[in-house]
Amino acid sequence: MNAPPKTFHVKSFGCQMNVYDGDRMAELMAAQGLTATDDQYAADLVILNTCHIREKATEKVYSDIGRLRKHGDNPMIAVAGCVAQAEGAEIVRRAKVDVVVGPQAYHNLPDLVARASRGEAALDTDMPVDLKFGHLPARRRVPPSAFLTVQEGCDKFCTYCVVPYTRGAEVSRPFAAIVDEAKALVDAGAKEITLLGQNVNAWEDAGRGLHDLIATLDKIEGLARIRYTTSHPNDMADGLIAAHRDAAKLMPFLHLPVQAGSDRVLRAMNRSHSRDSYLRLLDRVRAARPDIALSGDFIVGFPGETEEDFAQTLSLVDAVGYAQAYSFKYSPRPGTPAATMADQVPPEVMDDRLQRLQAALNRDQTAFNAATVGRRCAVLLERKGKLEGQLIGKSPWLQSVHLLGDAAIGDLVEVEIVEAGANSVMGERVESAQS
């Protein structure tokens, strides 16, 4: 039996949805009277909000548990998120943690912590039909750029991915609940909202699509910017493409994962789109919003990938010219079809291909940043930089912009981009932007 915790620390791994979930768990515990601390080793309760996409991320959770046991003052440890969902009983057996809670059940975290304090079993990996969001407390302090989950789960069943098993089927939050939360975020200080979902552009409610939701949010007074991620090419509807032209607050940035440039590999991945359909889709998006910045995801070394297949991925990168992108070596996840496929690619081949792919992606990101030098744009300032008086914010194209001058976090300021690097740009303030 443990004494009820008085302080807590939340550590989130992985995607932006985990960041959102971690923030919500922190609000849950604060609503119970617990005090947040930045020092995980001093906390009475440590919540590890986990990711199961990559093998190393899973192992990192166990390493963190070991460090907490060694350096912490005997904290209560709760494992939440996708690793909890996938390996709940194994975590209890292997790591002897106090609480295990899946991503669809974290609204029950206070009750689970209370049960653990009494020495009772505290494991909940249910995926209830009743959405957790209605059980969460109202948002309080929020950053200038806030996340808002609108959709969870995935029905696509890509052969490499655990999300359908850890997050469940695609579920959309109700339109009215999202709009209410967006207004509350703005009232609490948010100027930018990023709509989140495993397949965010699959969101729908009573015949409304994501473009209808964006059109409504576009009218919220005090909200300056709207973004959304992550999308699937098959759910990129005509209305959403048009929203990039018509919604004034929707930023000119689209993250649209492709994963590979070879149709043979795409079929093996069960991606349900082709190389050509993806490129034609990007042409339509660019026609609607010519200045849009494109981002993507890539996996190298998928089982059976040949050098010719990989060459087609490189040629797709050349054809698109991504402003940003994420790239990973294939990581077999237990329970997924790809994990047992023949022709697993040797690690050294994956290493070589990843280096070559990242060199091409870094080339294009550097070129995109360089092409923005001389542009004037609004920048939302989000945090302090390393230099005295330096602030860092985001351009409309999601670039990190470094700025020196008289401004404050949360300001939306007009800057001219004066210098570009591979990963960020420098801006000089020219006048205040309208927010």
Side-chain angles (χ1 to χ4, degrees), residues 62-82:
Y62 290 106
S63 297
D64 272 27
I65 292 170
R67 280 192 292 271
L68 287 167
R69 295 290 189 213
K70 183 177 180 180
H71 300 294
D73 188 17
N74 193 31
M76 179 184 293
I77 299 176
V79 177
C82 292

Side-chain angles (χ1 to χ4, degrees), residues 369-384:
N369 287 344
T372 61
V373 172
R375 287 188 187 179
R376 291 190 175 189
C377 63
V379 171
L380 179 60
L381 300 174
E382 299 179 27
R383 58 189 174 89
K384 292 181 179 180

Side-chain angles (χ1 to χ4, degrees), residues 62-223:
Y62 290 106
S63 297
D64 272 27
I65 292 170
R67 280 192 292 271
L68 287 167
R69 295 290 189 213
K70 183 177 180 180
H71 300 294
D73 188 17
N74 193 31
M76 179 184 293
I77 299 176
V79 177
C82 292
V83 173
Q85 186 68 42
E87 304 182 19
E90 174 66 10
I91 294 169
V92 174
R93 185 197 66 79
R94 177 175 168 183
K96 296 180 174 60
V97 298
D98 303 282
V99 175
V100 174
V101 59
Q104 307 300 0
Y106 68 72
H107 57 289
N108 295 326
L109 185 59
D111 178 61
L112 293 168
V113 169
R115 284 158 54 183
S117 297
R118 298 191 296 267
E120 300 173 7
L123 186 151
D124 189 346
T125 54
D126 286 345
M127 291 188 179
V129 175
D130 183 24
L131 287 177
K132 63 195 172 195
F133 299 99
H135 303 277
L136 298 173
R139 307 294 297 271
R140 295 188 293 180
R141 296 176 59 187
V142 300
S145 179
F147 293 139
L148 172 52
T149 292
V150 302
Q151 180 272 343
E152 287 195 296
C154 181
D155 296 340
K156 302 299 187 288
F157 287 93
C158 297
T159 56
Y160 52 81
C161 186
V162 297
V163 167
Y165 313 103
T166 59
R167 289 275 183 170
E170 290 178 356
V171 177
S172 296
R173 292 182 65 189
F175 176 87
I178 296 169
V179 174
D180 287 346
E181 186 170 345
K183 290 178 178 177
L185 288 171
V186 173
D187 290 343
K191 291 187 178 179
E192 175 180 282
I193 291 176
T194 300
L195 307 176
L196 299 180
Q198 264 84 34
N199 286 319
V200 68
N201 56 345
W203 180 89
E204 63 87 25
D205 181 32
R208 297 185 181 99
L210 188 64
H211 57 286
D212 298 303
L213 178 61
I214 289 170
T216 299
L217 301 184
D218 199 48
K219 298 181 176 68
I220 295 178
E221 185 175 352
L223 179 62

Side-chain angles (χ1 to χ4, degrees), residues 228 236 240-246 250-251 253-254 289 292:
Y228 64 92
M236 202 72 196
L240 186 54
I241 294 173
H244 281 279
R245 179 192 64 218
D246 300 333
L250 181 59
M251 292 295 97
F253 184 90
L254 174 63
R289 187 67 193 254
I292 199 161

